[in-house]
């Protein structure tokens, strides 16, 4: 998996150079005998569709030499290749910066501003998820898609056979404030897309779902005069200054409360985790989610998959205060992991009387030798206020993501790209127990009723996860791809090989470790994404173990 910074590619293109020699050398070091057997070492080549354009004679035109440089690698290097057609918020270059100055090309926060963020020194441009072909950014990215598809079709048959997959668009998702570090934010969330075109689309989507304003009002208990009167919810819950309930929007207003945290049980003393509400057993709490942050922060923890999470539908709870308890079951009995008080409020912010319940007594977690845990959510005295319109707003935001990917797939198919090789390049937030999936709104794009092959990016414990394996089995996914992959395991030398084998056995057609550089002096660059550089002499993130694992894996 090799990527070229845009400025390096531009210089090479102008001077007639390409990366074939150095890329071949890097691949041959990992698989000296060439691509043979069930596992073959190849490369992933990212093509930034908007980055192909240059300003010529007052217009933006595709620089044919850039495409020549990419496709020349496919012709010259006898190795499998995954083509990554990027057209998302990571797009860069002069055209992308120019398009970013036009608000109609962008997603907006509720304050009518686009969330322009910095991602490890790279500007995030939140290009719209609308598929309207009249939007300038869509004209350029889909024209480039058609052009690249045409050029791929012109390749000799031998070169085309080297293409094992084509990933579409990149990580397609909604954008939110504090993009780099805010994926686990359940506080004052700010999300997209509140642009005028998106708001109109929300009203159209509601009309199609409810078929009439009277039916919507009955379902929500609202009093909208027509669909044009509906606006997406934006207001934080303020118990001191009540507002119409349909205007409330926060991380919990859609009706679910995550019960989440982490549990380290090195001696396997605990058979299961249980959730109790007001002393009544509600259900078993799923375990095995990725918590790379805990793994990296606590030296004694040697497995990142220590997260647990239960999504409680609090709409079923009566109004008023409730007590939640997370309890571990062991041979020695039941032991309390954590307890929280929450308050379910009525519309209009009036509180109901407290329920009369009794919480049974449990043993103390400290009685379980070696067990360590923490309950992250819910926060103490969390106030839960359900707004059915907020639930529909999140569903619509999911629809936008899925609709864009389906449209991109359709355009790729119409452009002549082979359907059997079309994969997504998607993020999978629900594998991390502390992340807020509503920020990303990608659930609808992950299946099962999608036309494309699933491609999911996996990092940390997600690379070898029973949560991921369960997801694949549940949706009957047997042929998928992993466009980005890094176990980030610095404590267990064999973890990277086990993670690669896990993907192989689950049916992954390709796995693209992120990342191997062919740039001279790349290892001298510190910080940011360079810590993921896969080399035999880079201990950061366990990258040296992943390098060795690739060499061993290639022998299968």
């Amino acid at each position: 998996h090799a990527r070229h910074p845009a400025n390096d590619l531009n210089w090479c293109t102008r001077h007639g150079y390409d990366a074939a020699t150095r890329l071949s050398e890097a691949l041959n070091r990992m698989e000296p005998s060439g691509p043979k057997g069930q596992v073959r070492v190849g490369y992933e080549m990212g093509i930034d569709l908007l980055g192909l354009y240059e300003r010529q004679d007052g217009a933006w035109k595709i620089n044919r030499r850039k495409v020549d440089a990419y496709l020349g690698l496919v012709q010259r290097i006898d190795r499998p290749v995954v083509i990554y057609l990027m057209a998302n918020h990571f797009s860069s270059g002069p055209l992308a910066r120019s398009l970013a100055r036009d608000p109609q090309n962008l997603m907006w926060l509720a304050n009518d501003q686009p969330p322009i963020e910095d991602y490890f020194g790279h500007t995030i441009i939140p290009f719209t998820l609308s598929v309207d072909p009249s939007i300038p950014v869509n004209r350029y990215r889909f024209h480039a898609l058609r052009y690249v598809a045409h050029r791929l079709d012109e390749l000799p048959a031998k070169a085309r056979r080297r293409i094992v997959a084509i990933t579409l668009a990149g990580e397609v998702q909604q954008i939110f404030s504090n993009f780099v570090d805010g994926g686990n934010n359940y506080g004052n969330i700010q999300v997209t897309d509140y642009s005028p075109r998106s708001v109109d689309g929300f009203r159209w989507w509601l009309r199609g779902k409810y078929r009439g304003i009277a039916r919507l009002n009955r379902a929500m208990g609202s009093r909208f005069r027509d669909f044009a009167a509906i606006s997406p919810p934006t207001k934080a819950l303020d118990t001191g200054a009540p507002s119409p309930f349909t205007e409330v929007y926060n991380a919990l207003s859609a009706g679910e409360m995550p019960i989440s945290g982490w549990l380290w049980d090195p001696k396997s003393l605990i058979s299961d985790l249980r959730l109790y509400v007001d002393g009544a057993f509600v259900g078993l709490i799923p375990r095995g989610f990725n918590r790379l942050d805990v793994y990296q922060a606590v030296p004694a923890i040697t497995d990142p998959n220590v997260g647990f999470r239960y999504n409680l539908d609090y709409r079923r709870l009566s109004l008023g205060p409730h007590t939640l308890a997370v309890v571990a079951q062991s041979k020695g009995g039941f032991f309390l992991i954590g307890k929280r008080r929450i308050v379910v409020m009525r519309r209009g912010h009036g509180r109901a009387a407290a329920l009369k319940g009794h919480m049974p007594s449990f043993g103390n977690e400290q009685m379980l030798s070696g067990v360590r845990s923490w309950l992250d959510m819910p926060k103490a005295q969390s106030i839960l206020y359900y707004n059915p319109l907020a639930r529909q707003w999140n569903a619509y935001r999911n629809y936008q993501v899925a609709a864009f990917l389906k449209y991109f797939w359709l355009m790729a198919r119409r452009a002549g790209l082979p359907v059997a090789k079309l994969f997504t390049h998607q993020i999978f937030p629900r594998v991390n127990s502390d992340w807020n999936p509503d920020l990303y709104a990608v659930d609808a794009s992950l299946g099962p009723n999608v036309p494309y092959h699933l491609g999911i990016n996996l990092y940390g414990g997600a690379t070898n996860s029973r949560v991921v394996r369960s997801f694949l089995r549940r949706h009957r996914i047997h042929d998928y791809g992993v466009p980005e992959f890094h176990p980030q395991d610095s404590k267990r030398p064999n973890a990277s090989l086990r993670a690669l084998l896990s993907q192989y056995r689950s049916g992954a057609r390709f796995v693209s470790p992120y990342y191997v550089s062919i740039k001279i002096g790349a290892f001298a660059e510190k910080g940011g994404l360079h810590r993921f550089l896969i080399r035999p002499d880079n201990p950061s993130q366990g990258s040296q173990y992943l390098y060795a694992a690739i060499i061993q894996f290639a022998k299968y």
Side-chain angles (χ1 to χ4, degrees), residues 95 215 241 247 250 288 293 301 344 393 431 436 443 447 499 501 517 539 546:
L95 174 58
R215 186 176 177 185
E247 295 182 4
N250 57 45
D293 58 329
I301 294 179
V344 178
W393 175 236
V431 77
N436 182 352
D443 288 342
L501 287 170
S517 177
L546 179 53

Side-chain angles (χ1 to χ4, degrees), residues 97-111:
R97 291 192 293 272
S98 175
L99 292 169
R101 292 193 287 269
D102 184 348
Q104 70 172 317
N105 291 320
L106 306 176
M107 295 186 278
W108 297 10
L109 299 173
N111 62 4

Side-chain angles (χ1 to χ4, degrees), residues 498-521:
R498 290 198 297 267
L500 287 168
L501 287 170
S502 173
Q503 300 307 318
Y504 175 79
R505 291 163 181 161
S506 294
R509 193 186 303 186
F510 66 92
V511 176
S512 299
Y514 183 80
Y515 68 102
V516 175
S517 177
I518 59 174
K519 179 181 176 182
I520 296 174

